Amino acid sequence: MSLTAVAEAVGGRLVDVIDPGVQVTEPAVFDSREAGPGSLFVALAGEHADGHAFAESAHNKGAVVALVNRPVGVPAIVVDDVLRAFGTLAHTLLTGPLAATRVVAITGSAGKTSTKDFVSQVLPGSVVATPQSFNNEIGLPLTVTMADTTTDHLVLEMGARHIGDIRDLTLVAPPDISIVTNVGTAHIGEFGGRDNIAEAKGEIVEALAPGGLAVLNADDDYVQPMRERAGGSVVTFGLGEDADVRATDLSTDAHGRTSFTLVTPEGSAPVQLQFVGGVQVHNSLAAAAVGRGAGLTPEEIAARLSRAVPRSRWRMETVTRADGVTIVNDAYNANPTSVRHALEALASMSGGAEQRSVAVLGRMNELGDDARAAHEEIGRHAAAQGLDMIVLVGGDEASWMRDGVRDAGGRATWVPDQEAALGLLHPVLRPGDVVLVKASRAVQLQRLVEELLKPAPPARRLTGGSR
């Protein structure tokens, strides 16, 4: 789009522009370090920095224009509200040059990112998908600008912390296919209860374009009723016989990867997942339902699912050290549902004296008044898995998990920070051990993973402890 066309789309005015016919040819960026020739720089004001201060840097790297709320001395489009204008631009793209691109929208308390990875590898043609977990009012329009007129499918994660958040995202990107993975307790402190979470997640179904497809988890009692909110077709997935797309004959290998028979109304075919964890069966079934809607045969869907690999970091990311110790990095985020699934996956990946299981857990955020009970329940669930070692890192939340472990008759070790956890683990880990590391993103337990992956004890102190 030309600068003139972008300005008209967002209701802005051109400032310090010599040639309004210059084209924006690359995706938008909101980090000036990622700017390049042909890009659009979105100047957002954050808690610690104001993007307007970096507009000149983005311009020097090749950005042809900055979206701003005040002149910045380089070519710019000035608007009243930068974020709102950015969303308007994304909507203009989807209703104009990208009108032929089908939008697949995914939400749920857990599993959004893995489902996105499956869907993006099952769908035929050119597919653009949400990078990392860019699933909010900033990341969603950014993903839209990554598509072009050759893009057949745009796969978008949609996250929410309040009722109405997903509705606002669907106004930017109306979905042709909507997927709800589950309704759990992530962000329950913000929502105030699972009923409210279900209300919010269901907005993605209500927003379906005419003739759209809702893909719903048949095994989730909070998701099933959403079929009444869908104006188009509904396809369900799950393990029960009432699901339209389901899995039978499940088995798990020593690496925690599940194989199953994919069953659809058109036939069945065998699947061997490359993703770790039993929860990935549901995520892959959601993708299978989307592939079926795209006209793929059961055999084609099964083959694509079996070839699919994780594309998002720190989500059951599994690496085996040279000495045979396996580290499972699931430190991107955590909520009660995802932690339970991760612990169950850990238990399936280990067993016996030669393959011990070690869980390293930190706090789960945004649980509100349920925080203590939820952490204690995770402790009890960890104890029930028969793990060889449970290490709990941090403050009150870690101590609550320890209480839960003890209530269930198990044993756990509490440590105050990541450095102490590293000092505890390094001397005792041995070939064959499987170590799961999981906590909410703010805890930054991926730093511990980085140190654990080193073959020798580190010479320097860890930074960014979990308190």
Side-chain angles (χ1 to χ4, degrees):
M1 298 175 69
S2 69
L3 302 192
T4 297
V6 175
E8 289 178 351
V10 301
R13 59 188 176 92
L14 296 173
V15 176
D16 296 319
V17 171
I18 297 175
D19 182 3
V22 168
Q23 300 278 317
V24 178
T25 58
E26 296 297 320
V29 298
F30 54 83
D31 184 335
S32 62
R33 294 168 295 185
E34 298 177 0
S39 62
L40 178 150
F41 175 65
V42 183
L44 297 175
E47 291 184 18
H48 306 294
D50 185 346
H52 290 75
F54 301 93
E56 183 177 0
S57 175
H59 174 72
N60 292 337
K61 289 181 177 294
V64 294
V65 73
L67 189 61
V68 298
N69 60 25
R70 62 180 183 273
V72 287
V74 298
I77 298 171
V78 179
V79 296
D80 293 333
D81 186 323
V82 172
L83 190 54
R84 183 181 296 277
F86 190 32
T88 299
L89 176 60
H91 183 76
T92 299
L93 290 171
L94 286 171
T95 55
L98 302 180
T101 301
R102 288 176 61 79
V103 174
V104 181
I106 305 170
T107 196
S109 296
K112 291 187 295 295
T113 300
S114 294
T115 301
K116 171 203 69 182
D117 286 350
F118 276 119
V119 170
S120 65
Q121 294 174 78
V122 166
L123 281 171
S126 174
V127 180
V128 169
T130 301
Q132 302 178 52
S133 282
F134 285 8
N135 60 22
N136 61 10
E137 68 276 14
I138 301 172
L140 183 138
L142 179 72
T143 306
V144 173
T145 71
M146 296 169 61
D148 59 34
T149 54
T150 68
T151 303
D152 297 301
H153 295 92
L154 185 60
V155 184
L156 301 173
E157 287 187 53
M158 294 187 177
R161 284 181 167 82
H162 308 91
I163 290 176
D165 286 351
I166 290 176
R167 181 188 62 244
D168 291 344
L169 294 177
T170 61
L171 291 174
V172 173
D176 297 290
I177 301 173
S178 293
I179 302 172
V180 184
T181 60
N182 49 59
V183 172
T185 53
H187 312 305
I188 197 168
E190 300 285 341
F191 280 106
R194 288 184 74 186
D195 288 335
N196 289 340
I197 295 174
E199 178 65 26
K201 300 301 183 185
E203 291 169 357
I204 205 170
V205 177
E206 293 176 341
L208 276 169
L213 173 67
V215 177
L216 304 178
N217 186 344
D219 297 335
D220 190 307
D221 291 339
Y222 284 85
V223 175
Q224 287 190 62
M226 293 181 192
R227 65 167 55 245
E228 304 301 325
R229 301 166 68 177
S233 302
V234 175
V235 173
T236 60
F237 64 91
L239 303 183
E241 292 187 1
D242 58 337
D244 300 314
V245 177
R246 58 194 179 95
T248 62
D249 309 319
L250 280 70
S251 63
T252 304
D253 66 15
H255 302 287
R257 300 172 304 195
T258 304
S259 62
F260 61 88
T261 299
L262 171 68
V263 180
T264 74
E266 293 75 33
S268 60
V271 175
Q272 171 62 69
L273 297 180
Q274 304 303 312
F275 288 61
V276 173
V279 67
Q280 302 298 351
V281 174
H282 276 84
N283 297 335
S284 67
L285 289 174
V290 174
R292 177 174 174 263
L296 299 178
T297 67
E299 292 78 14
E300 289 171 328
I301 295 169
R304 289 168 183 254
L305 288 177
S306 298
R307 289 195 301 266
V309 295
R311 289 179 170 175
S312 303
R313 298 208 59 194
W314 307 343
R315 295 169 179 84
M316 298 302 286
E317 186 176 15
T318 304
V319 179
T320 300
R321 300 189 327 198
D323 64 356
V325 174
T326 297
I327 310 296
V328 182
N329 183 355
D330 201 26
Y332 189 86
N333 219 334
N335 60 64
T337 300
S338 67
V339 176
R340 283 195 296 270
H341 290 157
L343 289 168
E344 292 161 5
L346 172 63
S348 73
M349 296 172 68
S350 55
E354 300 302 319
Q355 199 174 35
R356 300 179 304 171
S357 53
V358 181
V360 183
L361 305 176
R363 72 173 181 268
M364 302 174 290
N365 289 340
E366 299 180 346
L367 296 177
D369 294 339
D370 294 328
R372 179 166 193 148
H375 283 88
E376 289 177 348
E377 176 55 32
I378 286 299
R380 288 189 288 270
H381 193 71
Q385 303 308 306
L387 307 177
D388 295 288
M389 188 175 185
I390 301 172
V391 180
L392 307 171
V393 183
D396 290 341
E397 295 86 355
S399 68
W400 296 337
M401 285 189 281
R402 180 179 58 181
D403 292 343
V405 172
R406 290 176 175 174
D407 288 345
R411 297 179 59 186
T413 303
W414 172 86
V415 292
D417 53 37
Q418 297 192 47
E419 184 178 353
L422 185 65
L424 172 69
L425 292 167
H426 255 308
V428 301
L429 293 180
R430 65 193 190 204
D433 288 351
V434 182
V435 184
L436 167 71
V437 181
K438 187 164 183 65
S440 281
R441 180 71 181 274
V443 181
Q444 297 285 295
L445 273 192
Q446 76 275 3
R447 298 177 183 272
L448 176 61
V449 173
E450 292 169 0
E451 298 299 332
L452 286 172
L453 287 174
K454 297 178 180 179
R460 60 180 177 81
R461 293 172 62 90
L462 276 171
T463 59
S466 62
R467 284 189 179 272

